[in-house]
Amino acid sequence: MQTHVTTTPFGRRPMSIGQMASQVAANSLPQEATVEKWKVFRSIREARDLLGATDRSLAILNALLSFHPDSELSSEGGLIVWPSNEQLMARANGMPAATLRRHLAVLVDCGLIIRRDSPNGKRFARKGRGGEIEQAYGFDLSPIVARAAEFGELADAVRAEKKAFKVAKERLTLLRRDIVKMIDAGIAEGVPGNWGRVSQIYQETVGRLPRTAPRQFIESLCEELQELWIEVRDILETFTKAQNPSANESHFERHIQNSNPDSISESENGFGKKNEANSEAEEPDNLRSLPKRELPLGIVLDACPILKDLAPGSGIRQWRDFLAAAEVARPMLGVSQSAWRDACQAMGEVQAAIALAAILQRSDQINSAGGYLRSLTEKARDGQFSTWPMVMALLRAKLEADKTAASPDRKQPKDNQAEERLYEASEA
């Protein structure tokens, strides 16, 4: 016959209102309440962060449940287990005694178990004549039965949050991949558009992403990238629809080869058509001798190292990074938006960015960068301009500067001669 059901812990351990609330919930159990203990334990394990439990405390709870003989926890049966600390430490894979006591307190604070301590703090059970347990002192598992539905709801919420977080990360990855590849395709195909601004917006948006971010932040970032994705897609779709849909494959290949408006071959064709009536298509000697290929990015960066300091993010590794850095340099040089737009239309955005980088490199020798760029734009419209001579002149000036630094007695070239070399092509 039970004499009294204890409500307070033994010794110096204090009693809290939270522990009293757990006991009230346990006492309000329906008489026929039954749950599968390992199913509820899985729900508790998934919702452990919401409950405030730890991995070690759940290892102890697993050990406590293993001391209950049945696979189900029922309010009609005994829900108190009384293993000793030695038995608990053995089933908890040799957990130290101090760690065991600390995490038992965590289980009590989380409302997962209740202490039913004896007068002397020992854990034991007193049986009657028929072998039935009359009084037990130990750990009461009734909160697990009383809160089983709550644990299931918390576990469902955790699973839903994990799924939403995974979906948000997948969406972010797809948006980043699509935007980067569409920008690269737009630049490579010579699609008209302010690709430098688009690249700068993309890098600034992605640059705000921390190493670990909550789901809400990732979703808000996805909304910003979604708007940028729509803008880039519309540019490419508009360009695609403007093309002749019945063009054959060979025509399409020729279009790819000549899609860059600042390429040398297209400049030659435009210059030739302009004078086709007179049958006197002539080219300047410096443009005729230029290589019939694009400038490598490495050569441009070697000739214009100042632009690398303006690159957002992790530096300039691709042409879109170069365009983003040029977009930063444009207002610094005082180049208006209209002058930049005209240059991009006449030269192509990549070549206009190279010209801007060369102007930035010689900004101490150029009084008006905007006027200088407009002058180059007019030459490009007439088919009399290429970025090759500018870059080669900068590289040659760099070599001469290195030689001058090595030989202090050598005279440096005059400023007007250095500026004129922006138009000249090297003999090589």
Side-chain angles (χ1 to χ4, degrees):
M1 180 178 180
Q2 291 188 351
T3 58
H4 179 70
V5 178
T6 179
T7 58
T8 58
F10 171 77
R12 297 181 180 180
R13 289 190 294 267
M15 180 68 183
S16 65
I17 299 299
Q19 295 175 10
M20 181 61 71
S22 299
Q23 295 186 22
V24 171
N27 294 332
S28 61
L29 270 177
Q31 293 183 355
E32 298 180 355
T34 302
V35 298
E36 297 181 11
K37 63 179 182 180
W38 298 122
K39 182 178 179 180
V40 179
F41 177 75
R42 286 193 294 270
S43 299
I44 294 173
R45 183 175 57 194
E46 292 183 2
R48 62 181 180 273
D49 293 334
L50 299 179
L51 295 172
T54 61
D55 296 338
R56 290 270 183 110
S57 62
L58 291 184
I60 297 173
L61 181 61
N62 181 80
L64 289 174
L65 290 173
S66 67
F67 283 102
H68 191 275
D70 299 329
S71 61
E72 294 182 346
L73 300 178
S74 174
S75 58
E76 297 180 353
L79 292 176
I80 298 178
V81 293
W82 53 92
S84 63
N85 283 351
E86 288 76 10
Q87 290 174 322
L88 274 178
M89 287 187 293
R91 294 202 182 183
N93 301 321
M95 184 179 295
T99 306
L100 176 69
R101 290 190 294 269
R102 184 169 65 253
H103 290 287
L104 281 172
V106 171
L107 292 176
V108 174
D109 293 338
C110 293
L112 296 175
I113 60 175
I114 299 174
R115 288 183 182 274
R116 304 293 187 186
D117 290 343
S118 65
N120 60 0
K122 301 294 184 179
R123 302 179 200 130
F124 62 90
R126 184 180 294 112
K127 296 182 180 180
R129 291 183 178 181
E132 297 180 354
I133 297 176
E134 293 182 350
Q135 184 75 33
Y137 297 102
F139 299 105
D140 191 351
L141 304 177
S142 55
I144 297 178
V145 181
R147 301 176 61 188
E150 176 190 353
F151 296 148
E153 293 176 358
L154 291 176
D156 291 339
V158 170
R159 284 191 290 268
E161 177 64 23
K162 288 182 178 180
K163 181 179 179 180
F165 183 77
K166 183 179 180 180
V167 170
K169 291 191 68 175
E170 289 176 352
R171 183 187 178 194
L172 177 64
T173 301
L174 293 175
L175 284 171
R176 293 180 64 178
R177 185 184 70 190
D178 287 352
I179 292 174
V180 169
K181 291 195 174 183
M182 285 193 298
I183 291 175
D184 291 343
I187 296 173
E189 298 291 341
V191 178
N194 195 347
W195 298 114
R197 182 188 64 83
V198 173
S199 300
Q200 183 182 8
I201 294 175
Y202 169 76
Q203 292 182 0
E204 290 177 354
T205 303
V206 176
R208 301 201 312 270
L209 182 65
R211 184 177 296 273
T212 56
R215 175 181 58 84
Q216 294 78 6
F217 182 83
I218 294 178
E219 289 180 347
S220 64
L221 202 67
C222 286
E223 295 301 326
E224 298 182 26
L225 291 177
Q226 180 73 22
E227 297 178 0
L228 185 63
W229 177 83
I230 293 174
E231 178 182 352
V232 177
R233 183 201 60 184
D234 291 344
I235 294 174
L236 296 181
E237 286 185 354
T238 302
F239 178 78
T240 303
K241 292 177 181 179
Q243 306 304 308
N244 185 6
S246 60
N248 55 26
E249 184 177 358
S250 60
H251 177 76
F252 185 69
E253 290 178 356
R254 290 196 301 272
H255 169 70
I256 292 178
Q257 294 172 0
N258 297 330
S259 60
N260 194 343
D262 57 333
S263 63
I264 303 304
S265 58
E266 185 171 344
S267 299
E268 293 175 351
N269 294 336
F271 187 77
K273 290 179 181 179
K274 183 176 180 180
N275 298 284
E276 187 175 358
N278 299 329
S279 300
E280 295 180 357
E282 296 182 358
E283 287 183 310
D285 293 338
N286 60 341
L287 293 182
R288 187 186 298 112
S289 61
L290 294 177
K292 306 300 181 181
R293 58 184 175 85
E294 301 296 334
L295 275 165
L297 179 60
I299 292 180
V300 177
L301 293 178
D302 191 23
C304 309
I306 296 179
L307 190 69
K308 293 189 289 186
D309 298 334
L310 304 179
S314 57
I316 300 177
R317 294 180 295 181
Q318 299 180 16
W319 280 114
R320 65 172 180 269
D321 303 329
F322 187 85
L323 293 177
E327 195 69 28
V328 176
R330 180 190 61 78
M332 294 177 54
L333 291 172
V335 177
S336 64
Q337 185 67 33
S338 60
W340 176 246
R341 183 174 57 253
D342 293 342
C344 292
Q345 291 176 354
M347 308 178 191
E349 193 168 12
V350 174
Q351 301 302 316
I354 295 175
L356 191 70
I359 294 174
L360 176 65
Q361 192 68 27
R362 291 291 181 86
S363 58
D364 57 337
Q365 303 174 10
I366 298 175
N367 295 328
S368 175
Y372 191 69
L373 183 62
R374 287 189 182 276
S375 175
L376 298 181
T377 301
E378 293 299 326
K379 292 180 178 293
R381 287 172 179 167
D382 296 336
Q384 299 177 358
F385 171 75
S386 172
T387 54
W388 270 93
M390 299 182 71
V391 174
M392 294 302 106
L394 289 172
L395 288 175
R396 185 169 57 184
K398 183 178 179 182
L399 293 175
E400 291 179 355
D402 294 340
K403 293 179 180 179
T404 303
S407 303
D409 297 336
R410 183 176 178 179
K411 296 182 180 181
Q412 297 182 355
K414 297 180 180 180
D415 291 344
N416 56 355
Q417 294 178 355
E419 185 174 351
E420 290 175 358
R421 285 174 181 169
L422 285 174
Y423 293 105
E424 298 177 358
S426 65
E427 298 178 357

